[in-house]
Amino acid sequence: IEKVDISLKRLRLDYVDILYLHSAKSKEDALNEMVLKAMQKLKKDGKIRFIGISTHRNEPEVINAALESKVYEVILTAYNFRQRNSLGLKEAIANAASAGLGIVAMKTQAGVYWDKLRTQPINMKAALKWALQNENIHTSIPGFTTFDQLETDISVMEDLTLTSEEKADLKIDQTLALTGLYCEQCEQCIPQCQKNLNIPTLMRSFMYAYGYKNLSLAKETLQPIDLNHIPCTECNSCKVKCKNGFDIKNKILDISRIKDIPNEFLI
């Protein structure tokens, strides 16, 4: 509550439209009684109009819990053509939408590139169309940093039909032919790791660095991790088998180098 008051003061606003409980990854996160009471108080005090929750791990579980709570009114969820849990996720989204909750899609562009070297861009229009074809997705928040990207985003609304070329570009029927940069944050890798590394966070940072080309965000994402000691070099072979085919060890060793870049070079 105190942080909301500070933010409103900085923003010079009396209220915000939506306040999200950010990055919930479990039913327990979503149903935290203290958080729910604080959100309800903020709404009662007129500081927020709608109570929201965001998730990009275990999305179906979090969405179902949000619906169960009878408190949340908006859900911001990862949703893109690269997710392997899309059937369970679509069902959870449909249930929430039918109950009157607003559904906002994020991570719709699935990492932006298929490869680290950025030689194979994902078809941005096709990726956004795919997400918005779901009638239960009420809006999305694809990022843009240029007017051309903004125009691309807006042009999608003229016709959401995927052409045969766009369907081919998304390679939906190809399993691991191209792994891409998007990590589903499923956490199946964590118990496989002998050192118990927070691999999903490392993979998300990797995507921000190579897909989004946002080194500042990539380094900020890794703040909770001690980058001065990445134990991957201590393992003769990596035991982690990513379901999306990521070369986990080499990705970790690659992104951990970001600790040596001074922050002033990342602004």
Side-chain angles (χ1 to χ4, degrees), residues 42-227:
L42 288 165
K43 182 174 180 179
K44 182 179 179 181
D45 292 345
K47 296 176 181 178
I48 64 176
R49 293 183 62 203
F50 301 101
I51 298 172
I53 187 170
S54 76
T55 177
H56 44 64
R57 291 189 191 181
N58 302 320
E59 297 94 336
E61 177 181 329
V62 173
I63 293 171
N64 289 329
L67 179 58
E68 177 186 332
S69 75
K70 307 296 183 183
V71 172
Y72 296 104
E73 300 162 292
V74 184
I75 297 171
L76 172 61
T77 181
Y79 185 71
N80 64 65
F81 70 98
R82 292 293 289 167
Q83 289 169 306
R84 306 300 171 92
N85 66 346
S86 60
L87 292 179
L89 178 55
K90 286 180 179 178
E91 182 180 359
I93 287 172
N95 290 337
S98 65
L101 278 72
I103 309 296
V104 184
M106 65 174 167
K107 310 296 182 187
T108 55
Q109 309 311 100
V112 185
Y113 288 88
W114 291 105
D115 64 324
K116 168 186 169 182
L117 298 178
R118 306 188 190 108
T119 61
Q120 302 176 63
I122 290 173
N123 185 320
M124 292 289 93
K125 289 188 68 171
L128 189 52
K129 281 183 179 182
W130 185 93
L132 292 174
Q133 280 186 334
N134 185 336
E135 61 183 10
N136 294 309
I137 298 294
H138 301 122
T139 190
S140 63
I141 54 169
F144 55 85
T145 55
T146 68
F147 284 108
D148 286 343
Q149 292 171 357
L150 173 60
E151 290 174 359
T152 297
D153 288 347
I154 294 174
S155 70
V156 167
M157 299 308 299
E158 297 172 1
D159 184 2
L160 292 178
T161 305
L162 283 166
T163 66
S164 56
E165 292 80 5
E166 288 172 333
K167 290 178 181 178
D169 287 344
L170 294 183
K171 310 177 192 296
I172 293 174
D173 296 328
Q174 298 182 30
T175 53
L176 296 178
L178 286 170
T179 59
L181 301 178
Y182 176 73
C183 170
E184 291 187 52
Q185 307 287 295
C186 67
E187 299 187 339
Q188 293 180 18
C189 51
I190 293 179
Q192 298 180 52
C193 179
Q194 300 177 59
K195 305 297 183 179
N196 199 35
L197 287 176
N198 188 342
I199 297 173
T201 297
L202 287 156
M203 294 301 100
R204 197 164 82 252
S205 176
F206 189 95
M207 179 187 70
Y208 291 152
Y210 288 104
Y212 292 14
K213 296 185 280 187
N214 189 332
L215 295 181
S216 180
L217 179 59
K219 188 171 183 180
E220 179 184 339
T221 300
L222 294 179
Q223 281 185 347
I225 297 176
D226 179 13
L227 290 178

